[in-house]
């Protein structure tokens, strides 16, 4: 396990680094065209009569530096370590090997970032960026959060890339924002802490709560710093404004009482320096070079809105409805106790109506592009497809296998798989296949590592590699 992400990044004088890192601070890549004055881009949609708006800027290399709803700013963007952004720490070096989306410590409160924004795409409800992340601490330097001393890097900017996609109204939940972060690491690491999403917020949000959507239980939390295995919510004193975070992939089995962190620095001195923070963290060992994707859902509104939004997300993502919250108040706690993993839904033989179709499926038909690959996208890879049926919304028999779809843009987005961790990237459940032998289109799953493992296909020898019967797309 790597060292935890450091709790806060107050602006500080980094005189030794300023001259060195200053030469790396540059304008965005020439291809970037900002749609708003001042190098800004904003997406917005209504929630309860008020716009829920997310904004990014050139100053922070495309990291989110503004999130507003109901006239309230939810983000502290004082320096380049705050914002709502992504970071990573590798090989136990802590801050000394710590690629950071919005920039470096040496960037301070200034207008430029050492990180380099290389792509920006803005839609009605979506925003996508791609950036080459700066190291938080420059080469040869250390802080109090560098357990192994200076990191083994030679320059102020890493070769690691962060690609993110932000979606408002995620999974049909109006106050939910899907934050999908894909790290493309340039080299392998023995260990990594991926802070897939973290939000630094104004000090008004110093009331911390846990909320477990599987049980409906909510309880006040101590100021921390601490991590827990159930979602955390930060709220103001009267609960009229709150922000929480949820990921269906947390907690990880290897760290069942961790993943959701909370930190209270509401008393830091200096104008605008006081802050509080949550994070959504994944820890990995033996990390290969390449893409690593994680999805965290940010939920905004009143305290009750946030609880309801997290519960709705859990249901929409296949976790089932939340239990009713108990009537008795829960005692304050320093950290949530470990909870058992959510058990899969029992495969009970349902009435015939349970064979109602779930998600429509297609198969690629264009050789050299997508032939044989099963997808939910009728324009998968920009090539021709044909409909083959659909998943089942619920299992009809004990042998009906669950299937998932990849969500990592540029990696496996739209591809149907039997593996919820396909390519170590993000997926979401899309239902079940009927068990082999049922009426419909027979589907197979690749079984050969390094070739087609986990890929669902209509071809039992997809890519001329081995496969096995998986199930049937119903018609």
């Amino acid at each position: 396990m790597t060292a935890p992400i450091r709790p806060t990044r107050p602006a500080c004088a980094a005189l030794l680094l300023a001259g060195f890192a200053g030469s790396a601070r540059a304008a965005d890549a020439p291809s970037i065209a900002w749609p708003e004055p001042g190098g800004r881009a904003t997406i917005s949609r209504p929630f309860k009569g008020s716009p829920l708006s997310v904004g990014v800027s050139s100053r922070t290399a495309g990291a989110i530096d503004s999130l507003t709803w109901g006239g309230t700013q939810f983000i502290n963007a004082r320096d380049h370590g705050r914002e709502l952004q992504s970071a990573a720490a590798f090989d136990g070096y802590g801050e000394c090997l710590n690629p950071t989306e919005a920039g470096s410590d040496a960037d301070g409160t200034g207008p430029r970032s050492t990180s380099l924004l290389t792509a920006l795409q803005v839609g009605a409800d979506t925003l996508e960026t791609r950036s080459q992340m700066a190291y938080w601490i420059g080469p040869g330097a250390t802080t109090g959060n560098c357990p192994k001393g200076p990191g083994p890097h030679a320059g102020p900017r890493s070769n690691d890339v962060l690609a993110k996609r932000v979606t408002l109204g995620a999974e049909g939940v109006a106050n939910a924002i899907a934050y999908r972060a894909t790290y493309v690491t340039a080299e392998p690491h023995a260990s990594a802490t991926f802070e897939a999403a973290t939000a630094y917020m104004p000090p008004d949000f110093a009331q911390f709560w846990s909320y477990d959507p599987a049980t409906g239980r909510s309880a006040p939390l101590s100021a921390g710093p601490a991590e827990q295995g159930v979602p955390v919510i930060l709220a103001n004193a009267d609960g009229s404004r709150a922000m929480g975070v949820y990921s269906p992939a947390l907690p990880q089995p290897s760290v069942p009482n961790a993943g959701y962190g909370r930190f209270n620095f509401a008393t830091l001195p200096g104008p605008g320096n006081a802050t509080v923070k949550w994070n959504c963290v994944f820890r990995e060992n033996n990390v290969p070079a390449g893409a690593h994707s994680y999805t965290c859902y940010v939920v905004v509104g009143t305290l009750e809105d946030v609880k309801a939004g997290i519960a709705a997300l859990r249901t929409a993502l296949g976790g089932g409805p939340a239990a009713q919250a108990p009537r008795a108040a829960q005692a304050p706690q320093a950290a949530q106790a470990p909870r058992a993993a959510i058990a899969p839904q029992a495969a009970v033989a349902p009435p015939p109506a349970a064979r109602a179709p779930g998600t429509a499926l297609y198969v690629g038909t264009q050789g050299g592009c997508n032939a044989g690959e099963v997808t939910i996208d009728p324009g998968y890879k920009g090539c021709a497809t044909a409909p083959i049926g659909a998943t089942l919304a619920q299992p009809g028999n004990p042998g009906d296998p669950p299937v998932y779809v990849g969500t990592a843009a540029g990696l496996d987005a739209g591809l149907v798989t039997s593996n919820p961790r396909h390519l170590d990237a993000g997926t979401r459940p899309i239902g079940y296949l009927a068990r082999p032998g049922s009426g419909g289109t027979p589907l197979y799953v690749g079984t050969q590592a390094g070739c087609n493992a986990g890929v669902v296909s209509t071809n039992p020898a997809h890519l001329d590699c081995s496969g096995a019967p998986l199930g049937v797309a119903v018609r």
Side-chain angles (χ1 to χ4, degrees):
M1 182 183 300
T2 65
I5 292 287
R6 44 135 170 56
T8 187
R9 309 185 190 192
C12 62
L15 300 180
L16 292 176
L17 295 176
F20 183 83
S23 62
R25 295 185 202 132
D28 308 316
S31 60
I32 304 299
W34 290 97
E36 299 169 21
R40 296 202 59 81
T42 305
I43 55 175
S44 183
R45 64 173 291 155
F47 173 63
K48 294 181 66 173
S50 182
L52 173 56
S53 300
V54 172
V56 302
S57 71
S58 176
R59 173 184 179 258
T60 57
I64 294 172
D65 63 358
S66 177
L67 193 160
T68 59
W69 175 75
T72 298
Q73 174 61 261
F74 287 75
I75 300 300
N76 178 324
R78 184 175 187 264
D79 62 43
H80 289 73
R82 309 287 179 101
E83 290 77 44
L84 195 171
Q85 63 164 309
S86 303
F90 297 124
D91 299 332
Y93 281 93
E95 287 189 346
C96 281
L97 197 60
N98 182 197
T100 301
E101 180 188 8
S104 72
D105 180 53
D107 296 333
T109 60
R112 303 284 283 275
S113 175
T114 303
S115 294
L116 178 65
L117 183 69
T118 59
L120 170 70
Q121 184 171 343
V122 183
D125 291 329
T126 61
L127 190 151
E128 297 180 66
T129 65
R130 188 176 180 91
S131 60
Q132 185 179 349
M133 294 185 288
Y135 287 114
W136 179 246
I137 299 298
T142 63
T143 72
N145 293 315
C146 293
K148 296 170 66 174
H153 55 290
R157 187 183 298 141
S158 77
N159 291 320
D160 299 320
V161 169
L162 179 80
K164 76 171 185 291
R165 178 180 175 89
V166 178
T167 305
L168 301 182
E171 309 300 335
V173 180
N175 60 329
I177 303 164
Y179 186 102
R180 295 182 172 90
T182 297
Y183 300 83
V184 184
T185 55
E187 57 188 40
H189 294 281
S191 63
T193 300
F194 291 112
E195 192 175 39
T198 184
Y200 288 79
M201 302 176 66
D204 299 346
F205 292 89
Q207 303 299 313
F208 296 172
W209 295 84
S210 69
Y211 176 68
D212 187 345
T215 64
R217 291 180 180 272
S218 178
L221 293 170
S222 70
E227 281 189 54
Q228 59 188 58
V230 295
V232 65
I233 302 171
L234 275 58
N236 62 3
D238 64 3
S240 63
R241 297 291 183 272
M243 179 190 288
V245 61
Y246 169 70
S247 175
L250 289 177
Q252 294 173 283
S254 58
V255 276
N257 198 31
Y260 300 102
R262 64 189 190 277
F263 308 84
N264 187 340
F265 297 91
T267 59
L268 286 176
N273 198 30
T275 190
V276 293
K277 135 172 179 159
W278 58 256
N279 61 10
C280 179
V281 179
F282 297 83
R283 293 174 170 85
E284 311 287 1
N285 292 313
N286 302 316
V287 180
H292 313 278
S293 295
Y294 305 94
T295 300
C296 304
Y297 293 87
V298 182
V299 187
V300 177
T302 68
L303 179 58
E304 294 308 312
D305 291 335
V306 173
K307 293 176 186 178
I310 292 174
L313 280 169
R314 180 177 181 272
T315 300
L317 293 166
Q324 292 295 316
R327 293 180 181 271
Q330 301 298 307
Q333 56 186 40
Q336 187 74 20
R339 65 182 175 92
I342 298 169
Q345 183 174 357
V348 178
R355 284 184 61 88
T359 302
L361 299 177
Y362 304 84
V363 64
T365 59
Q366 192 164 330
C369 178
N370 63 1
E373 295 173 339
V374 175
T375 175
I376 64 169
D377 180 4
Y380 184 57
K381 293 185 177 179
C383 297
T385 66
I388 57 171
T391 64
L392 294 169
Q394 297 292 335
N397 292 285
D400 293 346
V403 285
Y404 308 84
V405 65
T407 59
L411 185 63
D412 66 348
L415 180 69
V416 176
T417 176
S418 64
N419 182 1
R421 293 282 297 167
H422 184 241
L423 298 179
D424 289 326
T427 67
R428 63 179 177 86
I430 56 170
Y432 300 79
L433 299 179
R435 61 184 175 180
S438 305
T441 304
L443 300 179
Y444 305 85
V445 63
T447 59
Q448 191 164 329
C451 179
N452 64 358
V455 175
V456 176
S457 175
T458 55
N459 181 355
H462 180 54
L463 299 179
D464 292 327
C465 294
S466 58
L470 179 64
V472 171
V474 298
R475 290 185 176 271

